[in-house]
Amino acid sequence: EFTVQIELGEYYKMKASNVSYEKNELSFQVDIEGETIDIKTTVGKESMEGSASYSEGTIPITAKRKK
């Protein structure tokens, strides 16, 4: 079982649901202001790249490992 926590800035943190990880593919959902956002990424050594899909469409995302 995997857990994901999203940190936006210093104070905004949220836990993800429906977390799945297989063959460097990580997917999960987060709820922001009542809307569910589906996130799918490919995981590298120090970063992730993928997309976030919500009611307005799909946007690209990147994330870096926190040091």
Side-chain angles (χ1 to χ4, degrees):
E1 181 177 317
F2 294 94
T3 60
V4 172
Q5 178 171 297
I6 304 293
E7 296 182 17
L8 303 171
E10 189 174 338
Y11 300 104
Y12 194 69
K13 298 177 183 178
M14 67 191 98
K15 290 194 177 190
S17 61
N18 299 322
V19 178
S20 173
Y21 182 75
E22 187 175 331
K23 297 182 181 178
N24 294 337
E25 299 290 325
L26 175 66
S27 62
F28 55 92
Q29 294 178 320
V30 290
D31 291 318
I32 299 176
E33 296 181 4
E35 180 161 7
T36 299
I37 300 172
D38 293 307
I39 299 176
K40 295 180 181 178
T41 64
T42 300
V43 179
K45 274 189 165 184
E46 297 296 322
S47 64
M48 296 187 306
E49 292 186 17
S51 63
S53 300
Y54 67 116
S55 65
E56 298 289 320
T58 301
I59 59 170
I61 60 169
T62 59
K64 293 183 180 181
R65 184 179 304 271
K66 188 175 179 180
K67 293 182 180 186

